[in-house]
């Protein structure tokens, strides 16, 4: 039986326990007023109908209990009946107010997600011999929307992409993410070197934000048989080679995020690796690797990705990985989680 089913039976179990204890203890203990626990608990675990049903059951059970306690025609029984009706009515009102609040919160979140998806337009599914898949898993309803960002563009030397995460939450973070993506689109077409794209983004953030926010990001440029990377404090991508090996593409030295590069002696150094037919590279944000299960264990991305990303087309494989991530958490992920998979077709 699931947790939700157990919670829904809790009011009935509480009222049954009151009846049994009253019958065993006799009239002297006087547990009749405790039947109000039924509708009170039902308001916490269910909706208006569930609460009304619990109140009705409490009224029905109060008759034999009052008869057993010799209170059937006494004022104490009348007071108990009024208390049950009052608690049930108040609990139903609380259920209605809670439901309205949840609907408003859900509507606000849908609007925020729509704004984010409009600003971060869909990426192309193919660029030359590259097949591209995208997964964006929204956070739980009670979490504020984040600033995960991604984009792909053609540059002078090959296909360029960015995956990043803005510090903070809310629409302010979404606005910053959209600004970074816009700057990337401008620089990706014009700058001859990937390092030039990084400098352009750093100057853009310094001018726009004045050091108030930072963005962890990774820039990549896919050329013939290789990929070049610039890592600004972002989780390293995973390279899944055609022969089944998995490599974390970590930089030789850690670099600060965009918006804080000026505080370090040097910016990030470009690094890269071979990227041949059948190879795949998975880019992701920290919402993926920081997702925990009920026992507090982090999602084992490096263990799950090689098996799940081999199946079918890239988008279908990434959808499998996304479902596995949600299953690991056991519900909505606590933070937005973006994943971008780039697969090079075999010759």
């Amino acid at each position: 039986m699931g947790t939700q089913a157990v919670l829904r039976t809790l009011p009935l179990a509480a009222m049954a326990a009151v009846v049994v204890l009253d019958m065993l203890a006799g009239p002297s203990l006087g547990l009749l007023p405790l039947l109000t626990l039924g509708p009170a608990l039902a308001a916490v675990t269910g909706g208006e109908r569930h609460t009304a049903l619990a109140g009705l059951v409490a009224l029905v059970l109060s008759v034999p209990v009052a008869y057993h306690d010799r209170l059937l025609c006494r004022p104490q029984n009348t007071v108990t009946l009024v208390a049950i009706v009052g608690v049930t009515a108040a609990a139903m009102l609380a259920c209605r107010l809670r439901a309205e609040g949840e609907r408003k919160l859900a509507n606000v979140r849908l609007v925020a997600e729509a704004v984010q998806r409009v600003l971060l337009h869909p990426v192309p599914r193919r660029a030359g011999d590259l097949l591209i898949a995208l997964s964006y898993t929204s956070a739980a309803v009670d979490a504020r929307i984040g600033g995960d960002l991604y984009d792909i563009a053609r540059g002078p030397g090959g296909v360029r992409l960015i995956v990043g995460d803005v510090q903070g939450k809310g629409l302010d973070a979404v606005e910053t993410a959209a600004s970074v993506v816009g700057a990337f689109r401008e620089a990706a077409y014009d700058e001859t070197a990937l390092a030039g794209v990084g400098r352009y983004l750093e100057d853009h953030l310094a001018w726009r934000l004045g050091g108030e926010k930072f963005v962890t990001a990774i820039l990549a440029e896919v050329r013939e048989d290789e990929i070049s990377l610039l890592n600004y404090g972002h989780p390293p991508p995973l390279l899944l080679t055609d022969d089944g090996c998995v490599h974390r593409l970590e930089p030789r030295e850690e670099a600060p995020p965009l918006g804080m590069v000026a505080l370090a002696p040097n910016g990030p150094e470009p690094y890269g690796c071979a990227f041949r037919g059948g190879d795949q590279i998975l880019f992701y944000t920290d919402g993926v690797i920081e997702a925990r299960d009920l026992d507090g264990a982090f999602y084992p991305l490096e263990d799950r990705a090689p098996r799940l990303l081999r199946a079918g087309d890239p988008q279908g494989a990434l959808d499998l990985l996304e479902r596995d991530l949600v299953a690991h958490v056991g519900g909505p992920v606590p933070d937005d989680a973006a994943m971008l998979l780039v697969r090079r077709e075999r010759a």
Side-chain angles (χ1 to χ4, degrees):
M1 183 181 292
T3 303
Q4 190 64 28
V6 172
L7 291 176
R8 291 183 68 85
T9 59
L10 185 60
L12 296 178
M15 290 186 289
V18 170
V19 172
V20 172
L21 290 175
D22 188 87
M23 295 296 179
L24 293 176
S28 59
L29 197 56
L31 298 178
L32 183 61
L34 292 182
L35 288 174
T36 55
L37 285 174
L41 290 174
V44 177
T45 60
E48 288 185 74
R49 289 187 176 182
H50 189 58
T51 304
L53 177 61
L56 180 61
V57 172
L59 288 174
V60 172
L61 291 177
S62 67
V63 175
V65 174
Y67 179 79
H68 177 264
D69 293 345
R70 303 184 183 91
L71 299 174
L72 195 58
C73 298
R74 294 190 179 184
Q76 293 95 322
N77 185 42
T78 304
V79 172
T80 300
L81 294 177
V82 172
I84 292 175
V85 173
V87 170
T88 302
M92 291 177 65
L93 178 61
C95 287
R96 175 171 295 184
L97 295 176
R98 184 187 65 201
E100 290 179 357
E102 290 175 351
R103 281 194 296 269
K104 290 180 180 178
L105 181 60
N107 289 336
V108 170
R109 176 157 185 83
L110 287 174
V111 171
E113 288 184 0
V115 170
Q116 187 173 42
R117 293 182 186 278
V118 168
L119 294 176
L120 300 176
H121 69 98
V123 300
R125 298 303 179 180
R126 175 183 286 274
D129 63 345
L130 302 178
L131 301 177
I132 301 160
L134 175 68
S135 166
Y136 184 88
T137 308
S138 298
V141 173
D142 57 349
R144 298 176 64 197
I145 194 165
D148 289 0
L149 60 96
Y150 46 82
D151 199 21
I152 292 180
R154 285 193 176 275
V159 176
R160 291 173 172 174
L161 62 89
I162 181 173
V163 175
D165 189 2
V166 179
Q167 170 214 9
K169 303 289 183 183
L171 291 178
D172 185 48
V174 175
E175 182 183 2
T176 301
S179 177
V180 172
V181 170
F184 169 78
R185 291 171 189 165
E186 295 178 8
Y189 290 109
D190 298 332
E191 296 291 339
T192 57
L194 190 62
V197 178
R199 287 191 295 270
Y200 186 93
L201 294 177
E202 178 65 21
D203 293 341
H204 173 79
L205 283 173
W207 169 78
R208 186 181 183 278
L209 301 178
E212 296 179 0
K213 284 186 179 293
F214 62 84
V215 181
T216 67
I218 187 161
L219 301 177
E221 182 176 63
V222 182
R223 298 188 294 270
E224 185 175 355
D225 292 337
E226 65 176 347
I227 184 170
S228 179
L229 302 166
L230 272 179
N231 195 322
Y232 292 87
H234 197 74
L238 297 181
L239 171 66
L240 293 83
T241 60
D242 191 33
D243 57 5
C245 296
V246 181
H247 305 280
R248 286 166 56 91
L249 300 181
E250 296 185 288
R252 288 181 288 272
E253 293 184 4
E254 294 290 335
L258 289 167
M260 301 181 66
V261 176
L263 303 178
N266 300 306
E269 293 185 8
Y271 66 104
C273 65
F275 188 43
R276 302 185 177 91
D279 293 348
Q280 302 181 91
I281 294 184
L282 177 65
F283 300 88
Y284 53 91
T285 58
D286 57 8
V288 177
I289 56 175
E290 293 179 0
R292 299 171 182 259
D293 62 10
L294 297 179
D295 297 326
F298 291 109
Y299 180 67
L301 180 63
E302 291 188 50
D303 295 334
R304 305 285 180 86
R307 174 175 57 86
L308 296 173
L309 295 181
R310 297 294 177 188
D313 65 285
Q315 189 59 56
L318 195 58
D319 290 342
L320 283 176
L321 185 61
E322 177 185 330
R323 288 195 291 270
D324 188 66
L325 171 66
V326 175
H328 174 84
V329 176
V333 293
D335 192 9
D336 290 352
M339 294 183 285
L340 186 69
L341 178 66
V342 180
R343 179 187 295 177
R344 171 155 265 163
E345 286 185 307
R346 295 181 178 88

